[in-house]
């Protein structure tokens, strides 16, 4: 099933949750909507599910207008951040719900329903919890049951709203890997919303980065990390050093200091220089593009994270390998191995 | 190198000391000396005994003062039986109506956003803030002989005032807030996610209501119904204005108690009053049980 979203606009009062969103999702894809809270990603997901309605724009499934149908007819599996399990039903009945509410004409008989629920509980590896109530489960178990419940109706599309947002870090990592292999197995077109870049980059085939109701970039996890399309994407994905610079007459200046960086093809005016923390290479004083004094060093396994006060007055954080130990008070030269410049302040 | 131990003490005393310290800290949180505590508790118990328990005991004592036979004879009196029947009928009508209205109002307030929502919530509370006598008078103004609809009703030979419909209307008005008030916070807290999940799984509106919403609020509904029923059976002021006090016809139990008392028929008056008192006791017990279930429901709700 493909999903096509065209020029979607949704306002809540004066707040623009979606501001002209266009998106195409391919059949069988696992797509991540990534953005900070308030970026409109959950609103987009809810509109695709039929739980919210846009002010204008189109949503089509396989070329068919989806907005003409309610959530009930769309056949979309939805997994909520807080699980939304039916608290008065057992795990078994939760998963069976979608099968039991089908119109009499197409409803399966009791034996078939039982077999299907058993199959789904096996799929999420929780068949031993069938008689428990949601309150007796851990967060990770609840979310897997919620997923089994959504899959019971054999959805054409699977939508997951911050599925691991309420779980602790360790469980989250396990479930991430599990979701990826599950998607490989069932291969249904899936979109999941997250504000966790690591999650998006690790799980998804493609990542959609959103900010303020607009799509900033669509691309593979490598694309959005290696070639961020906008300053926002560079700042949001991966750990970046951000420096305000001026481009004037072919020269880049940080404050009043000219930098030995190529300014070819850059528009003059205020711009932003982005460097990944680990792309800032440390050298002896006087050897680099930047000069700075080490303020503070912390060690994180293979890297040392140093706070460096640049001679221009800015303070940055760099990640350096531990082959040469840095100490507070050292004066060092810094050279960006790779960098990107975006016009605009 | 030698280890220096600053204070060579054995292991147990610090432990015991720590425990004593913790106990002292706990006690110091309640700074009142024991005597003051006893006095405060005694005052509360005394007040409750004099103002609540004693009257209740007196009601039963008076009811049985001429023996158990007189008690049952008073209850078997046709006037008493008719009052009991009318009270049950009116309570059934008003609880039924308020169950439906309360559910609808709570649903609208908890699940939707619309302009005037705060005003609607205030309006629901109106019967609580208005004297029941005024609630009754409103219906006299509407349906009385000189009222807005009085002429039309007389022409069509419909009797509302001084008859069952008037009593039921007044009671319904006075007891309207109970079910809605019990449900609004509960439904607001539960949110709409489970309903959204049900709809996305293919459930219709009715299926969603009966399979998801209703089971989640059933204890709240029962709680509201219970309080609504207690008030409906005990309502005096509003009913007194619209009933007309026709003996054997439009007297509810509370009205009959007053009439009998004014006629110095103490045993009969207190016999009926004892029924109302028993209703109150049963309500209290049921309320405690329901509150226990409501609390449990909240535990299940944690994310």
């Amino acid at each position: 099933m493909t999903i096509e979203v065209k020029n979607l606009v949704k306002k809540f009062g004066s707040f623009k949750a979606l501001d002209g969103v266009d998106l195409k999702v391919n059949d069988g894809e696992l797509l991540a909507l990534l953005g900070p809270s308030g970026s409109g990603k959950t609103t987009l997901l809810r509109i695709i599910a039929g739980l919210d309605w846009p002010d204008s724009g189109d949503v089509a499934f396989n070329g068919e207008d989806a907005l003409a149908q309610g959530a009930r007819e769309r056949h979309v599996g939805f997994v909520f951040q807080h699980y939304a399990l039916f608290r008065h039903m057992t795990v078994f009945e939760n998963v069976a719900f979608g099968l039991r509410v089908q119109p009499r004409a197409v409803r399966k008989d009791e034996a078939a329903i039982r077999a299907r629920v058993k199959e789904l509980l096996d799929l999420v590896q929780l068949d031993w919890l069938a008689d428990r109530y949601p309150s007796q489960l851990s967060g990770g178990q609840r979310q897997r049951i919620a997923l089994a419940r959504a899959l019971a109706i054999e959805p054409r599309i699977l939508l997951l709203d911050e599925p691991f947002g309420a779980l602790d870090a360790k469980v989250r990592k396990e479930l991430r890997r599990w979701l990826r292999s599950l998607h490989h197995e069932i291969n249904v077109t899936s979109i999941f919303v997250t504000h966790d870049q690591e999650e998006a980059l690790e799980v998804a085939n493609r990542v959609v980065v959103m900010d303020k109701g607009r799509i900033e970039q669509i691309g593979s996890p490598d694309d959005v990390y290696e070639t961020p399309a906008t300053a926002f994407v560079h700042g949001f994905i991966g750990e970046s050093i951000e420096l305000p610079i001026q481009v004037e007459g072919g020269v880049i200046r940080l404050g009043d200091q000219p930098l030995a960086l190529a300014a070819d093809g850059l528009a003059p005016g205020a711009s932003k220089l982005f460097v990944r923390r680990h792309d800032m290479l440390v050298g002896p004083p006087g050897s680099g593009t930047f000069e700075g004094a080490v303020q503070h060093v912390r060690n994180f396994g293979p890297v040392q994270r140093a706070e460096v006060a640049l001679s221009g007055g800015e303070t940055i954080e760099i990640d350096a390998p531990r082959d040469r130990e840095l100490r507070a008070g050292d004066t060092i030269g810094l050279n960006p191995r790779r960098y990107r410049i975006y016009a605009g302040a | 190198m030698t280890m220096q131990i600053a204070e060579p003490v054995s292991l147990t005393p610090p432990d015991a000391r720590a425990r004593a310290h913790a106990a002292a800290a706990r006690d110091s949180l309640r700074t009142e000396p024991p005597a003051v505590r006893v006095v405060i508790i005694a005052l509360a118990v005394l007040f409750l005994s004099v103002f609540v328990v004693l009257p209740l005991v007196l009601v039963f004592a008076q009811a049985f003062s001429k023996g158990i036979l007189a008690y049952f004879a008073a209850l078997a009196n046709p006037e008493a039986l008719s009052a009991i029947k009318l009270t049950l009928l009116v309570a059934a009508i008003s609880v039924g109506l308020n169950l439906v209205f309360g559910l609808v109002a709570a649903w609208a307030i908890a699940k939707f956003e619309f302009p005037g929502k705060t005003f609607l919530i205030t309006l629901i509370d109106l019967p609580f803030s208005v004297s029941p006598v005024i609630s009754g008078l409103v219906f006299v103004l509407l349906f009385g002989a000189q009222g807005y609809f009085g002429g039309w009703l007389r022409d069509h030979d419909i009797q509302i005032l001084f008859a069952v419909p008037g009593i039921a209307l007044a009671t319904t008005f006075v007891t309207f807030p109970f079910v809605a008030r019990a449900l609004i916070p509960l439904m607001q807290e539960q949110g709409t996610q489970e309903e959204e999940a049900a709809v996305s799984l293919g459930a219709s509106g009715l299926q969603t209501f009966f399979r998801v919403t209703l089971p989640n609020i059933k204890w709240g509904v029962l709680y509201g119904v219970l309080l609504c029923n207690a008030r409906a059976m005990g309502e005096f002021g509003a009913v007194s204005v619209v009933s007309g006090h026709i003996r054997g016809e439009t007297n509810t139990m509370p009205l009959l108690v007053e009439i009998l008392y004014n006629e110095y028929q103490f045993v009969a008056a207190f016999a009926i009053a004892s029924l109302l008192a028993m209703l109150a006791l049963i309500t209290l017990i049921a309320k405690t049980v329901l509150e226990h279930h409501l609390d449990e429901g909240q535990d299940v709700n944690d994310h």
Side-chain angles (χ1 to χ4, degrees):
Chain A
M1 176 84 36
T2 64
I3 307 169
E4 198 167 350
V5 170
K6 271 193 211 143
N7 200 17
L8 221 51
V9 175
K10 172 77 181 176
K11 286 181 214 156
F12 292 108
S14 61
F15 175 70
K16 266 196 175 173
L18 292 178
D19 190 5
V21 167
D22 293 285
L23 179 63
K24 248 185 154 163
V25 187
N26 303 321
D27 186 38
E29 188 170 31
L30 178 52
L31 185 90
L33 292 180
L34 175 64
S37 49
S39 60
K41 52 198 193 311
T42 294
T43 307
L44 177 57
L45 200 73
R46 288 174 59 85
I47 289 174
I48 294 172
L51 298 174
D52 247 325
W53 299 88
D55 296 331
S56 64
D58 291 312
V59 178
F61 296 166
N62 271 354
E64 266 175 57
D65 181 16
L67 294 179
Q69 298 176 318
R72 197 185 164 205
E73 291 87 36
R74 285 194 205 178
H75 238 74
V76 167
F78 200 97
V79 176
F80 296 83
Q81 179 178 6
H82 293 293
Y83 330 118
L85 291 176
F86 306 127
R87 68 196 91 183
H88 61 284
M89 293 182 201
T90 60
V91 162
F92 184 94
E93 285 305 319
N94 262 283
V95 177
F97 185 87
L99 304 170
R100 293 202 193 284
V101 295
Q102 281 182 329
R104 210 175 291 274
V106 293
R107 197 187 304 157
K108 295 182 164 123
D109 63 24
E110 185 63 24
I113 289 177
R114 294 200 154 267
R116 173 85 180 126
V117 172
K118 171 109 185 33
E119 190 186 314
L120 285 160
L121 288 177
D122 283 342
L123 181 71
V124 299
Q125 296 151 15
L126 291 175
D127 50 315
W128 50 286
L129 290 176
D131 298 326
R132 303 273 185 92
Y133 283 89
S135 59
Q136 297 167 304
L137 308 186
S138 73
Q141 289 169 340
R142 286 186 209 184
Q143 199 54 292
R144 283 195 277 169
I145 296 301
L147 195 56
R149 182 179 68 176
L151 291 175
I153 57 167
E154 288 169 38
R156 304 187 294 173
I157 296 166
L158 187 60
L159 304 175
L160 305 106
D161 182 14
E162 303 253 7
F164 314 131
L167 304 172
D168 62 63
K170 188 166 169 289
V171 178
R172 203 150 63 199
K173 281 199 171 157
E174 272 171 33
L175 278 187
R176 236 187 251 169
R177 240 168 283 140
W178 177 79
L179 175 67
R180 208 188 151 91
S181 63
L182 181 80
H183 178 260
H184 197 71
E185 207 171 315
I186 58 176
N187 213 29
V188 55
T189 309
S190 308
I191 305 179
F192 79 98
V193 157
T194 180
H195 62 262
D196 181 348
Q197 39 161 315
E198 210 182 307
E199 196 167 289
L201 299 185
E202 190 182 324
V203 179
N205 307 129
R206 274 203 308 159
V207 177
V208 176
V209 186
M210 295 187 69
D211 184 40
K212 296 188 183 121
R214 293 178 161 279
I215 291 181
E216 294 273 320
Q217 186 172 8
I218 305 177
S220 70
D222 284 347
D223 284 344
V224 293
Y225 185 80
E226 300 294 342
T227 51
T230 65
F232 171 81
V233 176
H234 203 307
F236 189 69
I237 296 178
E239 312 227 53
S240 301
I241 298 161
E242 184 183 331
L243 290 170
I245 54 169
Q246 284 286 333
V247 181
E248 278 169 28
V251 181
I252 298 174
R253 285 171 193 280
L254 173 65
D256 46 10
Q257 282 182 310
L259 299 179
L261 297 173
D264 309 338
L266 293 177
S271 300
K272 271 183 179 155
L273 172 73
F274 280 88
V275 186
R276 300 277 179 216
R277 280 179 181 172
H278 59 268
D279 281 338
M280 205 55 126
L281 303 181
V282 178
S287 70
T289 312
F290 304 98
E291 286 281 304
V294 177
Q295 304 274 313
H296 189 71
V297 183
R298 280 169 298 157
N299 289 324
F300 288 97
V303 301
Q304 46 187 340
R305 177 162 300 169
E307 214 177 280
V308 180
L310 298 183
S311 50
E314 307 278 338
T315 301
I316 62 171
E317 275 193 340
I318 62 165
D319 285 348
R322 293 180 65 179
D323 44 7
R324 177 174 165 247
E325 296 283 338
L326 294 175
R327 263 188 220 97
D330 287 357
T331 305
I332 53 172
L334 289 168
N335 244 329
R337 174 163 49 184
R338 289 187 305 172
Y339 61 92
R340 297 182 77 84
I341 291 171
Y342 300 92
Chain B
M1 202 176 94
T2 54
M3 288 252 284
Q4 286 235 316
I5 298 170
E7 247 182 308
V9 285
S10 71
L11 280 173
T12 39
D15 206 35
R17 230 188 299 156
R19 230 178 293 138
H21 191 74
R26 222 171 23 243
D27 274 351
S28 74
L29 283 179
R30 308 195 203 97
T31 46
E32 305 85 5
V36 176
R37 244 179 283 160
V38 169
V39 168
I40 291 174
I41 294 170
L43 267 176
V45 170
L46 185 74
F47 185 86
L48 231 78
S49 309
V50 171
F51 283 88
V52 180
V53 180
L54 191 65
L56 210 57
V57 172
L58 281 179
V59 167
F60 284 96
Q62 279 291 330
F64 288 102
S65 61
K66 296 270 164 58
I68 204 153
L69 286 177
Y71 176 80
F72 283 110
L75 290 185
N77 180 293
E79 253 180 53
L81 284 178
S82 126
I84 293 168
K85 261 189 238 158
L86 179 63
T87 303
L88 291 177
L89 175 68
V90 166
I93 294 172
S94 54
V95 168
L97 287 176
N98 281 333
L99 179 60
V100 176
F101 292 150
L103 265 172
V104 171
W107 181 281
I109 285 166
K111 311 271 176 182
F112 302 113
E113 288 302 324
F114 53 90
K117 193 161 142 172
T118 322
F119 180 67
L120 185 63
I121 296 174
T122 314
L123 212 60
I124 287 174
D125 280 342
L126 183 73
F128 275 168
S129 51
V130 157
S131 160
V133 176
I134 294 169
S135 307
L137 274 176
V138 170
F139 290 98
V140 174
L141 279 176
L142 284 176
F143 305 123
Q146 323 298 327
Y148 291 108
F149 304 113
W152 188 88
L153 289 171
R154 198 179 47 237
D155 295 344
H156 292 78
D157 205 19
I158 301 170
Q159 187 77 27
I160 289 188
L161 225 51
F162 312 132
V164 177
I167 300 171
L169 273 175
T171 309
T172 306
F173 179 84
V174 172
T175 56
F176 177 73
F178 287 100
V179 176
R181 269 281 148 206
L183 291 182
I184 289 169
L186 190 66
M187 290 172 93
Q188 272 176 336
E189 192 209 288
Q190 291 181 348
T192 51
Q193 284 221 325
E194 284 184 45
E195 278 85 6
E196 286 181 347
V199 170
S200 80
L201 289 168
S204 66
L206 278 180
Q207 282 173 323
T208 304
F209 180 76
F210 282 109
R211 284 171 182 256
V212 176
T213 309
L214 200 56
N216 273 341
I217 59 170
K218 63 178 178 221
W219 296 116
V221 170
L222 282 176
Y223 186 81
V225 162
L226 180 81
L227 294 184
C228 182
N229 179 61
R231 178 69 192 269
M233 289 192 176
E235 176 55 28
F236 180 85
V239 172
S240 174
V241 177
V242 297
S243 112
H245 306 274
I246 306 168
R247 301 191 83 136
E249 273 184 47
T250 65
N251 274 335
T252 60
M253 287 159 73
L255 298 187
L256 189 63
V257 170
E258 197 212 17
I259 292 171
L260 292 172
Y261 184 83
N262 286 341
E263 291 172 352
Y264 304 105
Q265 301 189 44
F266 295 129
V267 171
F270 282 103
I272 304 224
S274 74
L275 290 184
L276 288 170
M278 260 188 280
L279 169 75
L281 289 176
I282 292 166
T283 304
L284 270 181
I285 293 164
K287 184 169 162 281
T288 313
V289 173
L290 284 179
E291 273 166 357
H292 177 70
H293 277 289
L294 276 171
D295 284 348
E296 265 185 0
Q298 246 128 53
D299 288 343
V300 173
N301 194 30
D302 75 314
H303 301 305

